[in-house]
Amino acid sequence: MKRLIFAANWKMHLGPEAARGYMETFLARVPLLDDREAWFFPAAVALHAVAEAARGRGDLAVGAQNVHWEEKGAFTGEVSAPMILDAGATAALVGHSERRHVFGETDAETGRKVRSLLAHGLTPVLCVGEKLEQREAGVTLSVVGRHLGVLEDLDARALAKVVIAYEPVWAIGTGKTATPADAVEVHAFIRDFMGREGADPGQTRILYGGSVKPDNIADLVGESEIDGVLVGGASLDPVTWGTMVQTPLD
Ligand code: PGA
């Protein structure tokens, strides 16, 4: 059975000390989860602290927010897949909209990052999604299709490892959430794409992200097309996040 993923993207918040305090509060409130997993994407400097705090809990996982595609070298300021593995990560976000639109990450770079993570046994969480003007122009599915295109020559084994996060750019940090119906339409398109590429579409895990909050999370994770959520702002408070990951499912 696929377990739902509740993923927290802390962005540029919470250094190692704050992350340790956060995890203490979270762990005190969230007993072992049996039908879902909670994944944490802290800043690179806090990866190790969070991985240590989560040690021994098979329902928790830790990932980086970004990686470079090379293993090592003269790339000042970058962090590689083997480095995050060493710090205790099992996953990394790739192609988050802030990487694409604030830092100019290209599809070609995103594709190289996905391959580097897979080569090191790490799970890429590939983020895809359209901007507002693209949704209004009716090109949402072609934008998402282009973002997914970086997966095109991967074999079924590699594809089975990839998690996709659909995050409409206009919904990130804006308080605007896609309706469950909007999300379901794009998720179904993504699942179809994965099936055509040779993945088992029923096993592909597709998360929704963009202004997921305590008051809309139940409707989103209640959709069978939605295999979990990727949450920024609302994941920064361990009490709120602890409640969100324990959202009852009907
Ligand atoms: P948000 O961020 O929940 O603050 O909208 C989501 C994300 O960027 O992953």
Side-chain angles (χ1 to χ4, degrees):
M1 202 192 87
K2 268 194 297 190
R3 301 197 329 153
L4 288 180
I5 298 172
F6 290 71
N9 174 11
W10 290 351
K11 308 193 180 186
M12 201 168 72
H13 299 278
L14 306 174
E17 202 48 51
R20 269 188 284 272
Y22 177 113
M23 290 305 288
E24 215 170 285
T25 307
F26 178 87
L27 291 170
R29 293 178 161 260
V30 182
L32 192 71
L33 304 161
D34 54 9
D35 63 345
R36 61 192 75 186
E37 295 167 14
W39 294 17
F40 294 90
F41 293 89
V45 289
L47 266 179
H48 189 248
V50 178
E52 284 297 304
R55 190 195 280 272
R57 286 270 306 245
D59 56 333
L60 307 182
V62 182
Q65 296 173 12
N66 183 32
V67 286
H68 193 275
W69 54 85
E70 295 291 347
E71 293 194 348
K72 60 182 175 192
F75 300 103
T76 301
E78 296 290 328
V79 171
S80 69
M83 288 172 166
I84 65 162
L85 191 62
D86 190 13
T90 55
L93 302 180
V94 185
H96 186 276
S97 78
E98 286 145 24
R99 299 304 319 169
R100 294 178 192 269
H101 303 304
V102 182
F103 297 100
E105 183 170 317
T106 63
D107 287 319
E109 289 168 343
T110 299
R112 295 171 84 176
K113 292 177 182 191
V114 167
R115 280 157 187 76
S116 174
L117 290 164
L118 289 169
H120 290 92
L122 290 154
T123 298
V125 179
L126 175 65
C127 304
V128 302
E130 80 287 2
K131 293 179 172 178
L132 182 59
E133 61 267 29
Q134 294 168 327
R135 174 156 283 260
E136 285 172 346
V139 295
T140 296
L141 299 183
S142 69
V143 171
V144 170
R146 178 169 57 75
H147 290 163
L148 292 171
V150 303
L151 303 176
E152 252 159 17
D153 54 359
L154 294 178
D155 61 23
R157 238 180 89 229
L159 286 175
K161 209 50 200 150
V162 176
V163 174
I164 312 284
Y166 169 53
E167 298 203 299
V169 180
W170 49 270
I172 296 177
T174 58
K176 292 186 193 137
T177 326
T179 62
D182 289 337
V184 163
E185 183 199 3
V186 180
H187 281 222
F189 170 81
I190 294 169
R191 207 174 291 290
D192 200 53
F193 173 95
M194 296 297 277
R196 280 200 312 275
E197 289 306 310
D200 175 349
Q203 287 307 312
T204 301
R205 296 198 284 182
I206 308 172
L207 316 183
Y208 170 79
S211 294
V212 179
K213 305 276 183 238
D215 61 0
N216 59 23
I217 190 167
D219 286 345
L220 291 161
V221 295
E223 291 286 348
S224 60
E225 259 301 341
I226 299 180
D227 303 312
V229 285
L230 178 57
V231 183
S235 74
L236 290 176
D237 176 67
V239 174
T240 306
W241 185 235
T243 306
M244 288 173 78
V245 305
Q246 296 178 91
T247 301
L249 301 172
D250 313 316

